[in-house]
Amino acid sequence: MASSFPEPRPSEITPRRAYLRRRSLLAAAGLLGGSRIANAAGLSVHPGPFNASEPLTPREDVTHYNNFYEFGLDKDDPARLSGGFRPRPWTLTIDGAVAKPLTLDVDTLIAGGALESRVYRMRCVEAWSMVIPWDGVPLADILRKAEPQGSAKFVAFQSVVRPDQMPGQRGGLGSLDWPYVEGLRLDEAMNPLSFLALGLYGDLLPNQNGAPLRLVTPWKYGFKGIKSITRITLVSEMPPTTWNRMASNEYGFYANVNPEVDHPRWSQASERIIGSGGFFGETRKPTQMFNGYGAQVAQLYAGMDLRKFY
Ligand code: MTE
């Protein structure tokens, strides 16, 4: 099935009012899980650059409308089914074409006191969007610690594999090949916008959002934002990426937000604003080139045909 991802899922098609009604029924029955309470530990952060001016997406939507196939295919599966995931202790290994391979303890990173907050627009390839306040560290700062060598041209990211804690990894219809993998060109990874998030809304990252750390590249479609990362490897060749492997005609390596290049099965010209629901349903807005981050990233793609390198 996954070759047809992302077929809109039931939670997405369900009119928002019905979806919320279903959620409040589940909440009343005590069936909504997730890790928000377990992870509630106010982070110490300082304001960073890049603060989108649009209204924030409510925390409830950011943490209960998710894509995280390790916990299931529906938007409410990650919050419901990730309560048993244990994101501590956790180490992140950086290796490959680097002078100083290293293994970082996530809590040491947090305790280091260098966390900054950033508000980024996030545009999913499924034509919906959010505005999210992340807490984390610039990816470039972490990569520099390992001292990338001249032969390093790309950065390969790998998510955790724990079928005992991640029900979506135990197979079944629509399952992906694990681990989930992603990649960036080295210059994209070193761009000041590329961010490793360890928190959102000032608290540790909830399990469903990719605890304990995930990538955020706001000018690219959301699927580049690989969650629960264990390894970052500097490589000389373009690394494989999960959705490109599943359907290369639909999901390219670059995955830059581009309203002029439609997905083969739907338009990318506009997006549904999650959490904007009023009586008449959620509003839409036109999608911006590079999700509005052209001033920061357009130069990375100068001279490239973005219809070919989608
Ligand atoms: N990372 C892993 N490991 N597994 C996934 O299924 N889904 C991706 C991305 N990162 C995914 C992942 C997709 S399709 C999107 S849109 C974003 O995570 C969603 O992030 P959010 O749930 O925090 O909004």
Side-chain angles (χ1 to χ4, degrees):
M1 94 89 225
S3 65
S4 67
F5 173 88
E7 210 61 85
R9 300 264 155 225
S11 55
E12 209 175 338
I13 302 164
T14 312
R16 191 175 158 76
R17 265 168 295 150
Y19 171 73
L20 290 175
R21 194 165 55 239
R22 181 168 158 239
R23 282 197 42 75
S24 58
L25 288 175
L26 289 171
L31 292 176
L32 292 181
S35 59
R36 214 171 66 200
I37 294 166
N39 270 352
L43 292 171
S44 147
V45 296
H46 63 273
F50 309 121
N51 287 301
S53 55
E54 293 85 349
L56 296 184
T57 304
R59 186 199 281 240
E60 178 72 7
D61 290 305
V62 177
T63 57
H64 289 84
Y65 190 87
N66 301 103
N67 279 328
F68 200 170
Y69 273 47
E70 283 87 335
F71 295 107
L73 308 185
D74 283 336
K75 295 286 185 278
D76 54 0
D77 284 343
R80 226 162 31 84
L81 302 175
S82 64
F85 181 66
R86 298 280 161 258
R88 296 292 188 290
W90 193 279
T91 54
L92 168 68
T93 296
I94 304 175
D95 60 6
V98 293
K100 291 191 180 154
L102 40 102
T103 296
L104 297 170
D105 182 272
V106 158
D107 287 323
T108 313
L109 201 60
I110 292 174
L115 294 199
E116 58 179 62
S117 59
R118 295 182 175 193
V119 177
Y120 277 160
R121 290 179 290 278
M122 121 84 128
R123 170 62 156 82
C124 177
V125 75
E126 298 164 332
W128 51 262
S129 65
M130 297 192 187
V131 180
I132 305 178
W134 301 106
D135 307 293
V137 290
L139 176 60
D141 288 0
I142 300 294
L143 294 180
R144 269 192 212 105
K145 282 186 209 278
E147 299 182 11
Q149 293 179 315
S151 58
K153 303 288 180 232
F154 292 88
V155 185
F157 299 82
Q158 189 175 309
S159 289
V160 73
V161 181
R162 286 191 194 165
D164 54 325
Q165 295 178 16
M166 301 179 123
Q169 285 186 336
R170 299 201 280 266
L173 203 64
S175 187
L176 300 172
D177 281 340
W178 311 111
Y180 193 99
V181 288
E182 256 306 336
L184 295 171
R185 237 170 41 195
L186 181 60
D187 58 347
E188 297 179 312
M190 299 304 281
N191 185 275
L193 279 177
S194 294
F195 201 52
L196 279 181
L198 294 129
L200 63 80
Y201 265 105
D203 289 327
L204 288 176
L205 216 52
N207 288 348
Q208 60 265 35
N209 293 89
L213 86 167
R214 56 93 59 84
L215 178 67
V216 189
T217 47
W219 72 100
K220 293 178 177 288
Y221 290 119
F223 66 86
K224 297 296 286 186
I226 180 171
K227 297 176 168 182
S228 305
I229 303 168
T230 55
R231 182 176 292 268
I232 299 179
T233 306
L234 287 272
V235 292
S236 56
E237 305 288 330
M238 183 180 280
T241 62
T242 287
W243 287 110
N244 181 252
R245 225 161 34 187
M246 298 306 292
S248 59
N249 62 322
E250 302 194 352
Y251 311 106
F253 176 84
Y254 285 95
N256 292 320
V257 176
N258 189 341
E260 283 158 26
V261 177
D262 286 338
H263 186 280
R265 290 179 285 124
W266 60 84
S267 164
Q268 294 293 23
S270 71
E271 61 205 52
R272 189 163 57 89
I273 305 173
I274 300 293
S276 64
F279 185 71
F280 296 106
E282 283 167 333
T283 42
R284 299 190 75 89
K285 66 171 184 179
T287 289
Q288 304 177 77
M289 186 66 203
F290 297 120
N291 204 20
Y293 294 99
Q296 286 80 32
V297 299
Q299 79 283 358
L300 293 171
Y301 311 104
M304 282 175 65
D305 177 354
L306 297 180
R307 288 187 176 274
K308 187 166 166 219
F309 298 103
Y310 54 93

